Every structure is written in structure tokens, then in C-alpha cells.
Amino acid sequence: MPDPAELYEVDSDVPVLDSAVLLFHFDGFIDAGSAGRAVADHLVEELDGPVVARFDVDRLLDYRSRRPTMTYSGDRWSDFESPELGVRLLHDADETPFLLFTGPEPDHEWERFAAAVRHLVERWQVRLSVNFQGIPMGVPHTRPLGLTAHATRPDLVSAFSSMFNEVQIPGSAAALLELRLGEAGHDALGFAAHVPHYLAQARYPASALTLLDAIERATGLSLPSDAVREAARRTDAEVDRQVRESDEVAEVVTALERQYDTFTAARSEDNLLADDTPMPTADELASQFERFLAEQGNNDQNDQ
């Protein structure tokens, strides 16, 4: 493998952080409700902080699959929005430093990319790496959103319940990074907020709030959430209004509520799906992920 360090440039003035947390989310894979993207955008907007490492997007990205925006002004090209895949140094409400790694998911050299990130984890002595996203599920927006947690060691997610046993789905750079960090002896975990499937294509702030709460719980960071909480309140109110105005949608939501409540009562837990019918099989869940990915791809083509 070529030297992974050639994939990034790092600010040499950044000190060893000594047990900092690394949060990461990459655009391009499943992110129902834009849950992960909303968390990343919110943290950058609320906390701000310098970029301390930049990755070589010219090497890692396929521009033809995700064409960057250019501006045409009258008779000339005047601007090019170059994608950025970088790590920011932020501080939480208690002035605890942590790292936020965001940008487009690499299209190429995943193994080399994972090795490069591992080098940075070791350079900065990161104690825990956490990734986050949203996934579409058959749940109603009128009930608490569920959460799937996964990690390189079982005790990292022992406080979170799980509904999955084994399932094969299309891979992602974030998932491979978590796997490789664990194989190298580094702690890493991930969260996937369960987003009502009928809201998966929209920005759904409640899912971002679910992720923020989980990240705080797992890392001990004190992260701002007021703006996301208010956005979630407004969005849920608007969704409720639209549901009331459509008998067809209201029937779907009511059916999902019955399913959720039945399952919750059976498990005596405040989480996840519900029904007195069998749970989805691994193949059914994989098919749902693949359909969602296909829809995302079609949307990207329409936007180009």
C-alpha cells in the first residue's frame, strides 16, 4: 500500500490532544432525514473551529459522480466550489477539545484512507471515534425515535439495546473505518437514528437530536442542542399538519403507531419497531437499504 500519510496535510501546530474524541460523518452513503449531515452542520455552525487536517479530494473523489458546483457569470466561469474533506478542532460547552471529521465519502482507496485516519488517531491520541447517520425504518414520527448502536467492543454500546443479529448491506467508508480502527486496537462506535421511512428524503431534525443525545451519552461531551431541538419541534408540527390534511397518510401513520406500540409492549422497552407479525428478515432489511440507496442515486442525477 502507498504511504497513507500522502493522502492528507496536517497542521503541525495542533498539539497532542490526549484522549480526545473524534466524531466523523461522510456525505454520500445512507443518511435518512439528513440526520448525520444535520449534526455535523450544527456543530460547525455553533462551535466553529479551525481545520487541522485536509485530505486530498482530487485523489479520493470521483468528480463525475458528484459534480462540484461552478458559477458562471455572464461571459466567464467565476468560481469553483472545491469539495473539502477535513478535520476541525472544536471545543464543547466545557471547553473540552474534540475533533469533527466531515466531507464527501471517498470514492477511491478506502483501505489507504482508513489507514491514514488511523495514523491521525494515533498522532492525536484519540480515545474514541464515533460516526453517526440516519437510516429509514418503518416507525411513526409520533413515537420516540429508535437508535442502532454498534462498536468495536461490546461494552462500548452495552447501554444501548439492539434489534439486529446479522445483516449484509452495502459497505461504506465510515463502516470500514470503524472496522479497521477496531482491528488496530482503537475504540470506535457508531449510531444510526431510525427515521420514519416516509420522512427519509426530507431533512428531519428530530433524528439529528436523537444522534446528539447518543453522542453526548457515549462521549461525555457537552454539545449544544437548543437550535436542533427547536427545529425538531417546528418540523414535527408541520408534519402533523400535513398528516391531518391527508386521510391516506394518516392511515399509514396510525398503522405504524399500532405496530410500534404492540412491539414496545411486548418487549417492555421504549424503543424501535413494533408488531405482532414477524420481524423483517436480513434479506428484507438489506433490500430496503438498497432501494433507499437507489433512490438517493436517482435524486443526485436529477440534481445534476
Side-chain angles (χ1 to χ4, degrees):
M1 179 189 299
D3 185 1
E6 294 179 358
L7 283 182
Y8 62 83
E9 293 182 354
V10 65
D11 185 343
S12 59
D13 291 334
V14 178
V16 171
L17 298 175
D18 190 18
S19 299
V21 169
L22 170 67
L23 308 181
F24 63 97
H25 171 76
F26 308 128
D27 297 327
F29 188 56
I30 296 172
D31 191 27
S34 296
R37 177 63 181 272
V39 168
D41 288 348
H42 170 72
L43 293 177
V44 171
E45 181 178 345
E46 291 286 324
L47 301 177
D48 199 12
V51 175
V52 296
R54 288 182 173 84
F55 278 73
D56 186 351
V57 293
D58 264 357
R59 182 183 294 272
L60 294 173
L61 299 189
D62 178 0
Y63 288 134
R64 292 191 300 171
S65 67
R66 289 176 288 180
R67 296 182 183 272
T69 300
M70 295 186 68
T71 301
Y72 183 76
S73 302
D75 59 356
R76 62 190 177 89
W77 295 106
S78 60
D79 191 33
F80 172 67
E81 294 185 13
S82 180
E84 183 176 81
L85 181 59
V87 184
R88 291 179 179 271
L89 175 60
L90 307 178
H91 292 78
D92 74 354
D94 299 324
E95 292 301 316
T96 302
F98 69 97
L99 298 158
L100 177 65
F101 187 14
T102 60
E105 179 186 35
D107 295 300
H108 309 293
E109 303 190 62
W110 280 9
E111 290 287 5
R112 190 180 178 199
F113 172 72
V117 178
R118 178 173 60 82
H119 285 186
L120 292 177
V121 164
E122 293 168 353
R123 173 175 182 155
W124 289 325
Q125 297 186 12
V126 170
R127 68 175 172 86
L128 179 65
S129 300
V130 183
N131 67 89
F132 44 92
Q133 67 183 114
I135 58 175
M137 299 289 280
V139 295
H141 71 282
T142 52
R143 299 295 187 268
L145 296 186
L147 188 79
T148 292
H150 42 84
T152 54
R153 290 190 293 111
D155 56 303
L156 292 175
V157 290
S158 59
F160 300 89
S161 60
S162 176
M163 63 171 289
F164 295 109
N165 290 317
E166 182 172 311
V167 57
Q168 291 186 323
I169 64 172
S172 69
L176 179 63
L177 175 55
E178 180 181 319
L179 175 65
R180 295 296 185 242
L181 286 174
E183 291 173 343
H186 299 292
D187 286 345
L189 62 87
F191 294 117
H194 300 168
V195 180
H197 65 277
Y198 51 91
L199 298 173
Q201 301 294 336
R203 196 174 182 96
Y204 189 54
S207 59
L209 187 62
T210 297
L211 292 177
L212 277 172
D213 289 344
I215 291 169
E216 281 195 316
R217 185 177 174 186
T219 65
L221 292 172
S222 180
L223 303 175
S225 62
D226 289 349
V228 178
R229 199 174 303 277
E230 175 58 21
R233 185 194 63 78
R234 293 196 307 267
T235 299
D236 281 344
E238 175 60 19
V239 172
D240 286 340
R241 183 189 66 79
Q242 295 186 26
V243 169
R244 288 194 301 269
E245 294 177 355
S246 171
D247 292 340
E248 181 179 357
V249 174
E251 289 178 4
V252 171
V253 173
T254 299
L256 288 172
E257 289 173 338
R258 287 197 298 268
Q259 178 177 293
Y260 181 104
D261 293 342
T262 300
F263 184 75
T264 300
R267 290 187 51 164
S268 298
E269 293 182 6
D270 194 17
N271 197 14
L272 305 179
L273 299 171
D275 198 21
D276 50 5
T277 59
M279 293 293 292
T281 66
D283 287 342
E284 290 170 340
L285 288 168
S287 295
Q288 185 176 24
F289 275 87
E290 289 169 354
R291 285 197 303 271
F292 183 72
L293 283 173
E295 292 170 0
Q296 294 288 80
N298 290 335
N299 288 343
D300 290 343
Q301 292 175 5
N302 292 335
D303 290 340
Q304 293 175 5

